[in-house]
Amino acid sequence: MNVSGFLTELKRRRVYTVAAAYVVTAWLLIQVATQVFPFFNIPNWIVRLIVLLAIIGFPIAVVCSWAFEITPEGIKLEGDVDRRTTRKTGRKLTALIVIIAAAAAGVTVFRFQHLQQANATKQSPVGVAIESKSIAVLPFENLSEQKANAYFADGMQDQILTDLSRIADLKVISRTSVMQYKSGITRNLREVGQELGVAHLLEGSVQRSANKIRVNAQLIDTRTDAHIWAETYDRDLADVFAIQSEIAKAIADQLQAKLSPNEKKAIEQPPTTDLAAFDLYSRAKSILLTASFSVTADPDLRKAIELLDEAVKRDPSFFDAYCQLAWAHETLYAAKGSDHTPARLALAEAALQAATRLRPDAAETHLARAQYLYYGLRDYAGALAQLEIARRALPNDPRLFEVTGYILRRRGQHEEGLQNLQRAVELDPRNFFTLQQIALSYQFLGRYADSITALDRALAIMPDNLTRAFRGLFYFCWKADTRSPLRTIDAILAQEPSAIAGSADIWFLCALAERDPAAAERALVALGDNPCWGEGTILLSRSFGEGLLARMNKDEARARTAFEAARAQQEKIVQAQQDYGPALCVLGLIDAALGRKELALDEGRRAIALTPVEKDVNNGSRVLQYFAITAAWAGDKELALQQLEAGLRAPDASQMLSYGALKLLPFWDPLRGDPRFEKIVASLAPKESAPAAK
């Protein structure tokens, strides 16, 4: 048989058709396996086995198609087949191939689009390449019978992560990002590696019973799913810190990371000798990790302080606990501004001094001092100098870049501040709070489109209700559009009404903008004891909100009663936080609402003098900007317009001076109708297009 005859015979026996059908069917099977199997946590080796069997089966299928035919009566040897029958079967086979090919094409297109979307959301926020010596330590599973030991397992994970982060030759992801991958749930490790931007993951379990402990740890290469190291440690409970340092050194060895003598010494140094103190510290640190973006931030911080106080009471040499204690006090004092009192600052200083006495030259001491200088004293130059010293021994600590970003932002260096916050996200890619701060940095620049994009990145990580509401708030500020935030509010009320408290201030603001008293009343009820509005350290109480609502309803008696109650609350705050501009600014606003013109203007001016923009760009801008409302409410229209223009020139853009707020909120009603005010509002109308509303 010549070549032409052989090819004709292949066609007659439909070898081409069977080969095409086999390839299309195998391709469809492989696509379904790679798409569906991970959902059921089926190991990747099964997918690889299917691919291998498909390859091996191809020549077998071709040979069988030469020797056999499919007929309505079943499979027969080629020589025994009636060709008239096989023509009908051939047409059916061709139709089947077309259907399978269409299905395979559909699955391929879906998979391609899914991968494109996944790559857009799972890639490192700054788009950096994955380094070979990069690792994340996932939460360890608590296998102890007592579930209270979960904090002990968290402490074990945290200490190993801390030890590894000291090694300059490694890139180590912060705990804030990895804590979202809870143990006990199905984790696709390859996807986790992509989301965190690391080549390796360490996972494990802890079982504590009486005075014994068992720790299992395993190292996985996320690029291949290969387990490249594993070890089980059965020891006395007293050896727990030795186990942590052994694991850290073993991981460094597996990743061929260079370990300096100082790094080795730091890894081998136990945090404490008191396991009960370590438990208290672990519980406190877990609370502090989420307090920054929690609705219950204040009580959470105070609870953490109680735990840390007990830890250092048990072990007065517990260095790490003192560092965390100083930061918790500083957060209440300055970051939240809810206890801006000399007593709170003194507690932060006392904790810092205790840490300094224990380890005066430690990098963590320099970091703690930098935070104190920044949050407590607003000594920016001093804080930056301390951060530079700490950087040498804390190569993987995102707080260094985070605090640097905040300092530069308060100095008005917004672009440099953003770069540092984005660098912090490289080491802490799923830190919700830092991503929110990046969004705020864009808002301070008046770049609402970029703010919304940054929040979209955060929402791709965690569909948090508060962040969704803030996304809508940015639309309101930018576009004077209440629809987006109100859609979010309606969705929260429909899905999880108990979660509305954290977003009720935005609901209240939108209700005021729409002049909807019923909605505003419902929002105030949902607020509970939370402020009706807050922008940075400018906090307006719930009583203040009741006054606003009553005035909108033209119920002057109720409005006065509410504002008097708000003033009594605020006066106590001002007395406790003397020389604190933001608190005095709010008091001036309340006095303006009560018709005490001269007192209100005097308080507003003193607040500006206490908070110069040159010293603190964030708070200085807010105090300056809110004074425009005070002047408007006090009836001094000329001063109000002057302050409004000065506020718009301030280094930070305020939500209360945004296009949406000026156009819609009753705060600015005393200025409406004045051509100068209307011209200012028109000048702020958005010109660029917005990201899609959600």
Side-chain angles (χ1 to χ4, degrees), residues 35 129 201 301 305 328 355 363 404 412 417 427 435 465 482 514 649 689 692:
Q35 186 69 27
L201 294 173
L301 286 164
I305 287 170
T404 300
L427 295 168
L435 290 171
N465 285 332
T482 59
E514 296 210 326
R649 292 194 301 269
S689 59

Side-chain angles (χ1 to χ4, degrees), residues 427-566:
L427 295 168
D428 205 357
R430 297 177 75 80
N431 188 319
F432 212 62
F433 180 72
T434 307
L435 290 171
Q436 288 176 327
Q437 289 298 312
I438 288 174
L440 282 176
S441 286
Y442 283 124
Q443 183 245 300
F444 292 157
L445 290 167
R447 293 162 57 180
Y448 286 105
D450 291 327
S451 289
I452 292 167
T453 300
L455 289 182
D456 285 341
R457 285 170 51 192
L459 288 168
I461 295 169
M462 185 191 305
D464 172 73
N465 285 332
L466 182 57
T467 303
R468 288 167 57 203
F470 260 108
R471 187 185 192 277
L473 174 64
F474 286 149
Y475 265 101
F476 167 77
C477 293
W478 183 21
K479 299 282 189 179
D481 176 11
T482 59
R483 292 170 298 174
S484 180
L486 286 176
R487 275 197 297 267
T488 300
I489 297 299
D490 289 341
I492 296 171
L493 289 170
Q495 298 165 9
E496 194 178 357
S498 61
I500 194 61
S503 307
D505 56 342
I506 297 174
W507 184 13
F508 179 67
L509 197 76
C510 290
L512 291 180
E514 296 210 326
R515 304 302 202 267
D516 185 343
E521 192 78 58
R522 290 178 63 202
L524 282 176
V525 172
L527 274 170
D529 294 329
N530 295 323
C532 75
W533 176 247
E535 188 171 3
T537 51
I538 302 293
L539 300 173
L540 306 180
S541 68
R542 185 183 187 280
S543 297
F544 187 96
E546 291 174 350
L548 286 174
L549 175 58
R551 189 149 287 172
M552 187 170 71
N553 287 333
K554 302 189 184 308
D555 186 344
E556 195 55 39
R558 183 186 173 193
R560 188 162 193 86
T561 300
F563 283 128
E564 289 284 7

